[in-house]
Amino acid sequence: MLGPPYERQTIDLGTDEEGPVVATLVRRRAERPTGRAVLYVHGFVDYFFQTHVADFFAERGWDFYALDLRKYGRSLLPHQTPNFCRDLSEYFPELDAAAEIIRADEGHDTLLAMGHSTGGLIVSLWAHARREAGLVDGIVLNSPFFDINAPWLVRRPLAAAVSRLGRRAPQRILPFGLGTVYGESLHADHRGEWRYDLAWKPLAGFPVRAGWINAIRAGQRQLRAGLDIRVPVLLACSTRSYRGTKWHESATLADAVLDVEHMVRWAPRLGPHVTLARFDGGLHDLTLSGPAVREKVFAEVGRWAEGFLGAGPTDPEPAGPPAARRPAEDRAGASAEG
């Protein structure tokens, strides 16, 4: 998919009611490794394609790993319902496996988890559930999905009714979706600057199913009741949201998917050590914002990691001849395709 220096490793997760299940771990090694690693988890209707994020960390000595969750992106198999789950804890096995590979198999002593949107909610719940295991040393949340972007009547009573339906008929398709505004703001064939696979990340998303809403609502309720994440957390989001269903230039300077005030409101429920950073002009995926904004995002992430994880430097390594790569036997089991 991406080619060198990216590699990928398939994680076998057995079977579910639809058949075989896999997740995919994509890796980009730093030329001068420092024992630090990032584990990136994408959002809904998403997969890893943000190679500039991997470049940022790799240039600073971090080995970068991105997990395409089951039924997303590289892990989506022909017999599966795209992006579907019944409970967000279904993703914990691949997160556990990825952490095991990064820490035990490849010997990293510092692990930073980075979750975007739905991935931010999943990573938060996983870190809470695994808090005694010490799997991660810090968390960066990029516009996490902490509440449904709708009026109170919809996100509480109506969502509760949909959740009940989701328990009885989880595959029921609901009569609403994501719209195309956000996708148009990103993709280079429309109004954005990024190229990615529209089969895995279609402009209008995949059908939203009742069982998925039930899973999201249960996870959000757990978050809002309070988690106990014991490592430092950086929550980053835009300063404003765009709520229109038709295209407007304002969508290029705001979160066109979620309500950023929900993220701010529920951030303290993550744990005792949460830093909030907001970026004027930021998109839903802050790393896909305009160049000036994403430069500020990366600078803030670098400063935060240096301050709270003792994981500097924040500047890229000086140019020069690349250090020798790790021996080939260390890369056993991975493919040279990203």
Side-chain angles (χ1 to χ4, degrees):
M1 293 298 302
L2 298 176
Y6 291 91
E7 302 165 308
R8 66 177 175 184
Q9 180 173 346
T10 299
I11 300 171
D12 186 352
L13 298 168
T15 62
D16 67 5
E17 69 276 5
E18 293 186 321
V21 181
V22 299
T24 309
L25 191 63
V26 177
R27 177 176 60 199
R28 186 205 189 294
R29 293 188 186 275
E31 291 291 346
R32 298 176 182 175
T34 58
R36 303 192 296 265
V38 177
L39 176 59
Y40 174 90
V41 182
H42 57 77
F44 184 59
V45 190
D46 207 357
Y47 72 102
F48 172 68
F49 64 91
Q50 299 88 340
T51 55
H52 61 296
V53 180
D55 292 341
F56 171 81
F57 284 103
E59 288 167 1
R60 289 155 178 81
W62 297 71
D63 285 348
F64 184 89
Y65 299 78
L67 187 63
D68 277 13
L69 299 168
R70 64 184 70 195
K71 306 185 183 184
Y72 284 85
R74 299 165 181 82
S75 307
L76 179 61
L77 302 178
H79 60 272
Q80 293 177 328
T81 303
N83 300 188
F84 180 74
C85 74
R86 295 171 184 261
D87 191 290
L88 296 183
S89 65
E90 292 175 20
Y91 300 117
F92 292 1
E94 52 253 58
L95 287 163
D96 292 341
E100 177 76 9
I101 291 167
I102 294 167
R103 281 203 179 272
D105 296 355
E106 305 200 349
H108 295 87
D109 51 34
T110 299
L111 177 57
L112 172 65
M114 187 173 186
H116 167 56
S117 195
T118 304
L121 177 61
I122 294 167
V123 164
S124 298
L125 297 172
W126 173 67
H128 168 77
R130 302 292 187 264
R131 60 192 178 278
E132 300 292 347
L135 298 182
V136 298
D137 300 286
I139 298 172
V140 173
L141 302 177
N142 171 4
S143 306
F145 187 13
F146 284 173
D147 212 338
I148 296 170
N149 186 12
W152 178 87
L153 187 65
V154 174
R155 70 177 189 270
R156 294 297 183 267
L158 182 58
V162 172
S163 289
R164 290 192 292 272
L165 173 64
R167 291 189 286 272
R168 298 193 309 271
Q171 291 282 0
R172 179 76 60 85
I173 294 176
L174 302 176
F176 56 80
L178 299 180
T180 63
V181 170
Y182 179 55
E184 289 181 48
S185 75
L186 296 182
H187 203 277
D189 288 347
H190 297 270
R191 306 170 195 269
E193 62 174 295
W194 307 99
R195 292 205 174 275
Y196 49 83
D197 192 331
L198 289 172
W200 289 345
K201 186 177 174 64
L203 289 186
F206 294 109
V208 175
R209 297 174 187 270
W212 182 83
I213 289 290
N214 182 51
I216 291 295
R217 185 170 178 270
Q220 291 175 341
R221 290 179 64 189
Q222 184 183 355
L223 174 279
R224 294 195 298 269
L227 304 182
D228 183 21
I229 298 175
R230 298 174 184 174
V231 298
V233 179
L234 172 64
L235 190 153
C237 64
S238 184
T239 57
R240 58 188 180 273
S241 296
Y242 174 74
R243 295 175 175 81
T245 58
K246 295 183 179 180
W247 177 258
H248 190 277
E249 289 301 319
S250 298
T252 64
L253 298 170
D255 189 322
V257 178
L258 298 179
D259 186 333
V260 295
E261 299 307 322
H262 292 160
M263 306 170 200
V264 175
R265 177 181 181 184
W266 299 116
R269 301 298 178 92
L270 291 163
H273 197 153
V274 180
T275 302
L276 177 65
R278 304 187 70 174
F279 298 90
D280 190 35
L283 298 185
H284 177 55
D285 185 340
L286 291 169
T287 70
L288 302 181
S289 304
V293 176
R294 63 179 183 260
E295 182 178 346
K296 293 178 182 177
V297 171
F298 287 132
E300 185 65 28
V301 170
R303 284 193 296 269
W304 178 87
E306 185 173 16
F308 291 106
L309 303 185
T314 58
D315 294 327
E317 294 156 341
R325 298 300 297 275
R326 294 185 177 117
E329 57 267 24
D330 286 354
R331 301 193 294 274
S335 165
E337 301 177 10

